[in-house]
Amino acid sequence: MSDHNVNIIVRHHDFDKHLLTNDICLISTTNNFEDQFIKRIPIAGPRYKYTAGDICTVYGFGVTDTMGNMERSTEKLRKVHVKIIDIKKCIDAYQSRKTSQYNAYVSKETSLCAGWPEGGKDACKFDSGGPLVGNLNATTSVLIGIVSFGYDCGNANFPGVYTKVNQYVNWMLDFEKTRNIGTGAVFVNN
């Protein structure tokens, strides 16, 4: 494994750490990550469509229980299959959970929810920023979301909430243009 030096980190200018809206950032490194084991995948383009019930995969190094015990986190990348949940059901669930201490916001435009109605499988603590990957077809995976937040982990009726990357394509392209950085990102629509 090689080292990767970060030369630029750009957080979205409208990120709100209390509501967790616009929960996305871009990182530019001095060298490429791609090698024989690491391959880039296309990013969902602005017209990429999701359907409730689609099966996706979330990857991460996070914990595997709701207690968030560090002993349960790992240096080994894990994955779990989750189902895209209807956004209205997700919004309703989190609206019912709002308190003065828990005020995260699920947006119809910029959020994507995934998990299982019965709970049990989800992204968890320390998975934040990880990829939610869908399938364009039988052989091509697509980055469709970024782990943002959830209520505990694997909680029934509270799916994980992801930043919907296809809503940030113009922001990503502006980053490339204003910084004169060629990322080689490929955007696809289905």
Side-chain angles (χ1 to χ4, degrees):
M1 183 172 294
S2 60
D3 291 334
H4 299 279
N5 297 317
V6 173
N7 59 10
I8 299 173
I9 300 173
V10 177
R11 184 171 53 193
H12 194 279
H13 55 278
D14 287 330
F15 172 67
D16 185 310
K17 67 181 179 180
H18 301 290
L19 297 177
L20 297 177
T21 53
N22 301 301
D23 190 8
I24 188 169
C25 81
L26 294 173
I27 300 170
S28 174
T29 60
T30 55
N31 52 338
N32 197 329
F33 274 83
E34 223 170 342
D35 65 20
Q36 69 187 50
F37 302 107
I38 302 170
K39 302 293 180 212
R40 80 175 78 197
I41 64 171
I43 300 169
R47 293 181 309 280
Y48 192 92
K49 301 291 183 217
Y50 316 97
T51 303
D54 288 352
I55 303 298
C56 302
T57 307
V58 60
Y59 295 86
F61 295 94
V63 299
T64 58
D65 66 45
T66 59
M67 300 308 290
N69 296 322
M70 281 301 294
E71 298 81 41
R72 304 275 182 151
S73 65
T74 180
E75 290 184 16
K76 182 180 178 188
L77 183 64
R78 294 184 179 130
K79 68 179 181 178
V80 65
H81 299 292
V82 291
K83 184 188 295 189
I84 293 182
I85 303 296
D86 177 77
I87 192 67
K88 179 161 180 12
K89 289 180 182 176
C90 186
I91 290 169
D92 291 346
Y94 280 94
Q95 279 294 110
S96 73
R97 185 72 197 141
K98 284 203 183 286
T99 66
S100 60
Q101 284 128 1
Y102 190 84
N103 196 33
Y105 178 73
V106 180
S107 162
K108 183 177 181 181
E109 291 77 30
T110 60
S111 299
L112 177 64
C113 297
W116 295 97
E118 65 276 12
K121 294 182 180 181
D122 194 2
C124 204
K125 191 173 184 181
F126 306 115
D127 285 327
S128 294
L132 176 67
V133 177
N135 296 305
L136 182 62
N137 55 45
T139 60
T140 306
S141 298
V142 179
L143 176 67
I144 63 171
I146 300 168
V147 178
S148 183
F149 68 91
Y151 175 64
D152 286 334
C153 309
N155 227 336
N157 301 312
F158 287 96
V161 180
Y162 299 79
T163 300
K164 192 189 299 185
V165 296
N166 70 343
Q167 297 302 303
Y168 294 91
V169 170
N170 288 336
W171 176 73
M172 289 183 250
L173 292 172
D174 286 347
F175 168 80
E176 276 190 327
K177 186 177 175 183
T178 59
R179 307 287 177 151
N180 197 24
I181 296 171
T183 64
V186 175
F187 300 98
V188 296
N189 294 298
N190 52 356

